Amino acid sequence: MSLVQIPDQPFVCRNLVGGEWQEPTGVEWRDIVSPYTGGVVGKVPLCGAKEVAEIVAKAEPAARAWRSVPLKERTQHLFHFRELVLANIDRLSNLAALEAGKTVAEARAGVLKGVEILEFALSLQNLDKGDSMDVSRGVKCETVREPLGVVAGISPFNFPAMVPMWLFPTAVTLGNAFVLKPSEKVPMSACVLGELMLEAGYPPGVFSIVHGEQAAVEGVVDDPGIKAIGFVGSTKVAKIVYGRAASHGKRSLCLGGAKNHLILVPDADPAVAVDGVVSSFVGCAGQRCMAASVLVAVGDCNALIEKIVERARGVELGRDMGALIDPAASARLAEALTMAEKDGAKIILDGRTVAKPAGYEGGNWLAPTIIDNAKGDWDCATRELFGPIITIVRVDTLQQALEFEQKNPYGNATSVFTSSGAVAQFVSDNATSGMVGINIGVPVPREPFAFGGNKDSRFGVGDMTGMGGVELWSYTKKVTTKWELQEDATWMS
Ligand code: NAD
């Protein structure tokens, strides 16, 4: 069975500079390797500050012209882009699956989530009208929203199309020019988004792409022409980017990694809990920042846990669950499992022993894995593993479950599975994550509710999507106006 379509020709990624595709010279290139096969499916240039500067030189005049195009007119291009994304959804989903290792269905869901965020940006033309009031006799105060100029987004490997669409539709609709630095591991989907942005009629330079790794990110963060940065990736890099941007006095919002807690209470509805837990830690092979990573079982949850193990055992590699991004991820997870065993944990479902899908033996595979009886301070219970592994930590009380959650440095998502409104409320009130789920394993807010974590899962103020994105990619200008001297003046007139 074919899990993903492998194109005949390798995909050559180019930078998008001033509306034109350019192959940079004098730089190194990196192979794009599919997690499904281990085979090369394309190549990507590794750029740096020089290529970023060339892009910014074209983007700056584009930003100056674009900001004076009325919002309603700017939005028309986004309507067109949305149609093009939907018309190309099969191609985009296949490419995102091929480069990130997701199943094609998961990749498709990611594109559709991106479209939902794009639809929020479409609605700005009806929402973002500013504000004004006569604050005194003859004196009016007015707030208008202004773009920042050239801004940039830096994205991770695990959502090749969706995360870029968290960032640029809102930024561009608000009147900024946008530079995307996609993950070097999954740059092909970003190139297709670039093609579609050109086809949607955005003026040259309004949307640009620079490829690369650390040097490209440093080029983006340091370039004085880039006024704000949205970063999504690991906590280690989020912290570096946030600190470096701040050292330039530059605005940034940097989302980082996660260690998401699912709190399981014996009164949980088995059907809801089993489905919620398994789809959360298995979906996208656990490679999403909202994936369940620790199952905190409060009291005797054995009957529920048995069902969870059985459901997870039935997940078929390849058909239901995709591959790990690269051999380094496989090695990292293997090491974490060895360490958990050494610490004394029991592996009650071992994905290492499951055969790789036929025809895809060169890929990076790990079937769902469940670690039981872990202590709360062990590596497997505290560190982000980023794979289809869930660690069960058993506690006696809800209070202990929450203390454990509160102690973890990450704060992306926390969920509880229970039939009790009081328990749900207690968790919701006391959890320290930015996103909380009640009987939902992946509590991603749907638009217009914004996406963003807390603690070490986010550096900066606000959220990445919804009105959070509007605040990130714009500033408010306050205008106070008086036309005439007032006879009946107040102190302000
Ligand atoms: P990563 O941090 O390795 O890479 C993210 C981006 O940073 C990439 O574009 C990469 O080129 C760049 N980069 C890598 N190393 C760098 C360095 N030393 N200096 C500057 N830039 C560097 O993340 P990843 O492995 O691609 O993605 C997985 C991580 O992202 C996980 O930790 C996951 O939890 C997190 N993530 C978080 C969210 C969220 O919303 N909080 C969403 C998706 C993924």
Side-chain angles (χ1 to χ4, degrees):
M1 184 180 63
S2 165
L3 301 175
V4 69
Q5 238 176 295
I6 300 174
D8 302 335
Q9 295 296 321
F11 194 117
V12 179
C13 294
R14 297 179 174 86
N15 289 339
L16 181 54
V17 187
E20 281 171 16
W21 294 105
Q22 280 186 12
E23 207 164 295
T25 50
V27 301
E28 281 180 34
W29 289 73
R30 173 189 162 120
D31 286 339
I32 306 163
V33 177
S34 176
Y36 273 95
T37 59
V40 174
V41 291
K43 61 175 191 166
V44 60
L46 302 180
C47 303
K50 175 175 161 278
E51 290 75 24
V52 172
E54 284 164 10
I55 285 177
V56 172
K58 298 271 168 75
E60 277 178 326
R64 282 194 290 276
W66 182 237
R67 62 176 291 151
S68 60
V69 174
L71 175 60
K72 278 178 187 279
E73 257 181 61
R74 291 197 297 254
T75 309
Q76 293 311 310
H77 297 289
L78 195 60
F79 276 110
H80 192 184
F81 177 69
R82 177 185 177 279
E83 293 311 311
L84 291 167
V85 169
L86 292 174
N88 284 274
I89 192 161
D90 290 341
R91 179 176 163 222
L92 260 173
S93 310
N94 188 73
L95 216 45
L98 179 72
E99 60 185 351
K102 294 166 180 298
T103 65
V104 174
E106 286 169 348
R108 191 182 175 87
V111 174
L112 289 173
K113 177 65 186 166
V115 168
E116 187 167 87
I117 290 165
L118 186 162
E119 285 165 355
F120 172 80
L122 286 173
S123 66
L124 287 175
Q125 61 169 344
N126 295 320
L127 291 178
D128 195 28
K129 59 185 178 5
D131 226 339
S132 87
M133 186 178 149
D134 290 333
V135 291
S136 184
R137 290 183 186 278
V139 180
K140 185 165 85 174
C141 274
E142 197 179 354
T143 304
V144 284
R145 196 173 289 285
E146 298 278 353
L148 301 171
V150 183
V151 299
I154 300 160
S155 51
F157 80 79
N158 61 330
F159 283 98
M162 182 191 79
V163 170
M165 284 199 278
W166 281 4
L167 305 170
F168 71 80
T170 303
V172 160
T173 304
L174 287 165
N176 300 288
F178 192 94
V179 182
L180 176 65
K181 203 305 281 175
S183 165
E184 65 283 6
K185 294 178 186 169
V186 297
M188 301 188 292
S189 306
C191 290
V192 173
L193 292 174
E195 274 175 32
L196 302 182
M197 285 293 280
L198 289 182
E199 203 179 330
Y202 282 95
V206 166
F207 182 75
S208 311
I209 299 177
V210 63
H211 292 289
E213 307 172 325
Q214 180 173 348
V217 171
E218 289 172 357
V220 164
V221 178
D222 294 347
D223 194 296
I226 293 180
K227 303 302 177 196
I229 290 162
F231 171 91
V232 183
S234 63
T235 289
K236 180 181 145 220
V237 182
K239 228 179 209 175
I240 295 172
V241 168
Y242 183 70
R244 196 162 173 141
S247 75
H248 298 303
K250 200 175 276 193
R251 172 190 297 212
S252 76
L253 178 63
C254 301
L255 301 188
K259 185 78 180 173
N260 302 315
H261 296 70
L262 297 192
I263 299 175
L264 186 64
V265 177
D267 74 358
D269 178 317
V272 174
V274 171
D275 185 66
V277 172
V278 175
S279 55
S280 180
F281 90 91
V282 161
C284 298
Q287 299 170 116
R288 55 182 166 182
C289 64
M290 296 296 277
S293 191
V294 200
L295 184 66
V296 194
V298 183
D300 182 0
C301 291
N302 287 335
L304 287 167
I305 289 172
E306 270 171 33
K307 289 194 167 77
I308 287 168
V309 173
E310 277 327 296
R311 173 71 68 89
R313 200 191 301 283
V315 169
E316 192 181 313
L317 265 189
R319 190 196 63 185
D320 304 325
M321 198 181 93
L324 301 172
I325 184 69
D326 53 21
S330 299
R332 191 186 66 241
L333 297 180
E335 199 185 314
L337 290 172
T338 306
M339 195 187 299
E341 281 174 315
K342 267 198 198 141
D343 282 339
K346 199 168 161 208
I347 306 217
I348 57 174
L349 183 65
D350 195 341
R352 293 171 295 188
T353 57
V354 175
K356 297 179 175 192
Y360 295 88
E361 289 82 1
N364 318 302
W365 302 96
L366 176 69
T369 299
I370 303 182
I371 303 173
D372 198 1
N373 285 327
K375 293 267 184 331
D377 57 352
W378 288 356
D379 176 78
C380 58
T382 52
R383 188 165 60 93
E384 178 178 48
L385 301 181
F386 221 53
I389 301 176
I390 196 162
T391 302
I392 303 176
V393 174
R394 293 170 186 261
V395 296
D396 295 324
T397 66
L398 198 56
Q399 184 64 35
Q400 287 169 344
L402 281 159
E403 280 166 12
F404 173 57
E405 187 265 1
Q406 289 157 0
K407 238 189 327 186
N408 193 275
Y410 294 107
N412 223 34
T414 300
S415 290
V416 61
F417 287 91
T418 180
S419 304
S420 155
V423 167
Q425 191 64 53
F426 188 72
V427 171
S428 169
D429 288 348
N430 291 287
T432 55
S433 290
M435 292 168 279
V436 170
I438 314 288
N439 295 321
I440 301 244
V442 184
V444 174
R446 298 283 304 266
E447 306 308 305
F449 295 92
F451 184 101
N454 190 26
K455 304 198 295 188
D456 279 1
S457 297
R458 178 194 57 179
F459 300 88
V461 177
D463 291 316
M464 196 57 98
T465 65
M467 286 312 289
V470 174
E471 295 302 330
L472 174 61
W473 303 121
S474 66
Y475 72 100
T476 50
K477 187 181 275 174
K478 284 68 63 179
V479 183
T480 306
T481 310
K482 178 165 85 173
W483 287 108
E484 290 167 3
L485 199 58
Q486 292 291 306
E487 294 293 322
D488 49 353
T490 68
W491 65 268
M492 192 175 180
S493 310

